[in-house]
Amino acid sequence: MATIADAAALLEQIAPARLAEEWDNVGLLTGDPAGPLRRVMTCLTVTPDSAAEAIDRGADLLVSHHPLPFRPLRRLTTDAVEGRLLWGLCRAAVAIYSPHTAFDSAAEGINRRLADGLGLADARPLTPHREDATLGAGRVATPPAGATAQSLAEAAKAMLDIDHARLVGRPDAAVTRVALACGSGASMLDAAVAAGCDALVTGEATFHNCLAAEARGVALLLVGHYASERFAVEALAQELAAGLPGVEAWASRREHDPIRLV
């Protein structure tokens, strides 16, 4: 029978921990590595909905892109939401693994998958890793000839199955080089400019990030934090099922984007 350690080893191959940012918390965060593994669920974030689903469906492992816990805990009680979620999962013997920024930056990680899904060519790291320049944070890639900010937005909406995206800049602006940074990636604007990019695709940005992009002539395409990463979590479930024979794997069906248009 497969074990939690087997899943952790496979996830390490997919998203090597050495690629994670120094501030991150990745790897097996709770659980017994020697514990049996029959069912594994992936999700973007551990929430009351996704945690309840993992428990209700008898998951032995919850692979959450965003770590829980993220920062060191001084106490673990049910008085706070984070403690309540952890306590419930631990009591149900559901281990937690998070690949987070290691998965963002991996060779076949989220940012590379974004580039491929948008039809971009020659993807390479936006910020190369200190040990291996072929890996690293973000991606920079080349769009098809004649691409505009509008055509990039349409490609993103189709790929991510979303009905809207937000754009800073003119829709008809020509796009010749694109930077990609899933999640909250607007902090990579400087790196995008240094790489000669005239567009940056990310999940979300602050108002001041938007002003900075506009001032520097970079089209900033905001597709939503959830949409920019959730698609890869769904694919990850399929890869775990393929790599762990006899193990049932699925992406959370109860998880949802908390933001609604009204």
Side-chain angles (χ1 to χ4, degrees), residues 75-252:
R75 57 183 58 84
L76 180 58
T77 72
T78 60
D79 293 334
V81 172
E82 184 178 63
R84 188 157 58 249
L85 293 173
L86 284 168
W87 185 255
L89 289 165
C90 288
R91 289 190 65 188
V94 182
I96 302 173
Y97 188 104
S98 173
H100 204 206
T101 53
F103 192 29
D104 292 345
S105 299
E108 298 299 326
I110 298 181
N111 286 310
R112 174 55 189 265
R113 296 175 194 222
L114 266 176
D116 291 345
L118 294 177
L120 308 180
D122 304 320
R124 57 181 176 81
L126 180 58
T127 305
H129 190 266
R130 60 186 177 278
E131 297 176 4
D132 186 346
T134 65
L135 303 172
R139 287 295 183 273
V140 55
T142 304
T148 64
Q150 182 67 49
S151 67
L152 185 64
E154 295 302 325
K157 290 193 293 182
M159 176 207 170
L160 301 174
D161 193 23
I162 55 178
D163 57 14
H164 78 282
R166 295 187 295 165
L167 175 67
V168 175
R170 298 192 335 271
D172 63 349
V175 174
T176 59
R177 183 170 291 183
V178 181
L180 305 109
C182 62
S184 300
S187 61
M188 301 189 77
L189 177 61
D190 286 346
V193 171
C197 297
D198 39 33
L200 169 60
V201 180
T202 188
E204 60 183 345
T206 68
F207 177 69
H208 293 288
N209 288 146
C210 293
L211 290 176
E214 183 178 53
R216 302 177 80 170
V218 175
L220 184 60
L221 182 62
L222 307 176
V223 299
H225 195 131
Y226 182 88
S228 75
E229 297 177 333
R230 166 70 194 196
F231 77 96
V233 165
E234 295 171 3
L236 184 59
Q238 298 175 5
E239 292 168 26
L240 290 172
L244 297 166
V247 174
E248 178 186 359
W250 73 96
S252 172

